[in-house]
Amino acid sequence: MNETTIDLLARITAALERLAPPPPAPPSVYGHDAFVWHPARRVLEPVVRVSRVDIGLLRGIDRQKQILLENTVRFARGFSANNAMLWGARGMGKSSLVKAAHAAANAELPESLALIEIHREDIATLPDLLDIIRPQSRRTLVLCDDLSFEREDADYKALKSVLDGGIKGRPENVLFYATSNRRHLMPRDMIENERSTAINPSEATEEKVSLSDRFGIWIGFHNCDQSTFFAMIEGYAARFALPIDAATLQAEAVEWSVTRGARSGRVAWQFIQDLAGRLGHPIALDQRDS
């Protein structure tokens, strides 16, 4: 075979490869501790630094912390654990607790656990994501924050199948955590309407609430009282060494919560940001998990 023929074959091979390139490698859950799922591109986008709060700064939810942390660490160690639903009052640390528990598990068992965030509108693609994770050995938490369903929304049926049914079942290396303001993920009026109009009211209601039954762990979050709110404020103030006395801190925190019409972990953090700015005391967002 002469040189001209070899060159021609090489050019033909290169042209064929351009026309039909090899399929890209499947996304990997290795290399980073957290990812965001982008189903349109079938990409797991690495998150270099997760926006989270140190678990020690989450006040007023001690029982909730204990339950979720035990479940998460057990899973990271390779033992069985349950899917978890964190539901209840806004701003009381539901998603913050998931991210903090993930960080605590990896601090105890480095690189044992990946965290993947899936957006609510992408829930229908959850089976595709699980097919990517299934053959990989790393244990993975899949988090959907602020999960809920509206009338005529059929995605909840797909989620039911993934969590507890389907011929494939949920991969042993995956847990699904969700946060929601709704205990059963459905609007109350939607459940009540099904009960009032159905031929068999109990069956209609069961169909709507059965999704939440797929979660082995339910963790409720409730509005905090003033003493708990003070504990949150004082915890942040101590962490950031804010130059303010306790009496003034509490008085300003009360005024802030009254103007906001609420007391919660989110309101506490917003107050601390405002206070630090007024005191000329710079704080970085990532100081929260330092």
Side-chain angles (χ1 to χ4, degrees):
M1 188 179 294
N2 59 41
E3 185 174 340
T4 302
T5 303
I6 293 174
D7 181 61
L8 177 62
L9 290 174
R11 285 189 282 118
I12 291 172
T13 301
L16 291 173
E17 288 180 347
R18 288 193 298 271
L19 290 172
S28 171
V29 297
Y30 295 92
H32 292 81
D33 281 340
F35 304 84
V36 176
W37 168 236
H38 296 288
R41 295 179 285 134
R42 289 183 65 82
V43 166
L44 287 173
E45 177 191 358
V47 178
V48 177
R49 187 175 182 86
V50 178
S51 175
R52 61 178 172 232
V53 178
D54 181 82
I55 199 164
L57 279 177
L58 297 176
R59 306 297 176 91
I61 53 171
D62 293 341
R63 181 57 179 163
Q64 293 92 327
K65 283 196 292 185
Q66 179 184 358
I67 294 171
L68 193 72
L69 186 57
E70 287 179 356
N71 192 65
T72 305
V73 171
R74 185 166 63 244
F75 178 64
R77 289 173 176 165
F79 301 111
S80 59
N82 274 300
N83 299 317
M85 163 62 67
L86 288 70
W87 65 274
R90 304 187 312 273
M92 282 303 295
K94 298 183 292 293
S95 59
S96 293
L97 179 54
V98 173
K99 291 182 285 186
H102 166 254
N106 274 344
E108 182 175 329
L109 303 160
E111 301 181 1
S112 61
L113 204 56
L115 176 66
I116 298 177
E117 181 181 56
I118 181 171
H119 297 139
R120 158 64 189 88
E121 58 270 21
D122 297 327
I123 279 294
T125 69
L126 185 57
D128 296 334
L129 175 58
L130 296 188
D131 284 343
I132 290 171
I133 302 171
R134 191 184 302 271
Q136 304 188 54
S137 59
R138 191 178 191 188
R139 299 214 146 202
T140 303
L141 293 177
V142 177
L143 167 65
C144 184
D145 194 20
D146 199 20
L147 178 63
S148 63
F149 299 95
E150 303 299 333
R151 192 181 304 275
E152 306 303 329
D153 189 342
D155 286 350
Y156 78 93
K157 295 182 179 179
L159 182 56
K160 281 170 58 177
S161 178
V162 165
L163 291 179
D164 200 35
I167 193 169
K168 289 184 178 180
R170 175 172 57 86
E172 293 184 358
N173 61 330
V174 175
L175 276 189
F176 187 81
Y177 284 179
T179 72
S180 180
N181 294 332
R182 299 169 176 170
R183 183 173 183 179
H184 292 295
L185 301 174
M186 308 286 184
R188 181 180 296 274
D189 64 341
M190 180 177 174
I191 295 173
E192 291 175 348
N193 182 65
E194 292 288 342
R195 181 185 294 117
S196 64
T197 60
I199 295 174
N200 190 323
S202 62
E203 287 184 1
T205 303
E206 286 295 322
E207 167 67 14
K208 296 303 181 185
V209 303
S210 61
L211 173 57
S212 56
D213 290 341
R214 264 61 178 183
F215 294 89
I217 295 177
W218 284 11
I219 306 177
F221 290 71
H222 309 285
N223 292 317
C224 68
D225 57 21
Q226 184 161 287
S227 62
T228 303
F229 184 67
F230 284 160
M232 296 172 180
I233 296 294
E234 291 164 358
Y236 278 131
R239 172 62 64 89
F240 303 132
L242 297 182
I244 186 171
D245 64 87
T248 304
L249 178 68
Q250 290 189 1
E252 294 195 11
V254 168
E255 181 181 357
W256 181 271
S257 67
V258 169
T259 61
R260 293 301 305 273
R263 289 188 295 254
S264 70
R266 182 178 297 133
V267 172
W269 173 241
Q270 291 166 344
F271 166 70
I272 288 295
Q273 288 181 296
D274 179 79
L275 176 63
R278 288 189 284 109
L279 293 174
H281 191 92
I283 58 176
L285 289 178
D286 57 7
Q287 278 185 268
R288 291 182 294 170
D289 63 332
S290 60

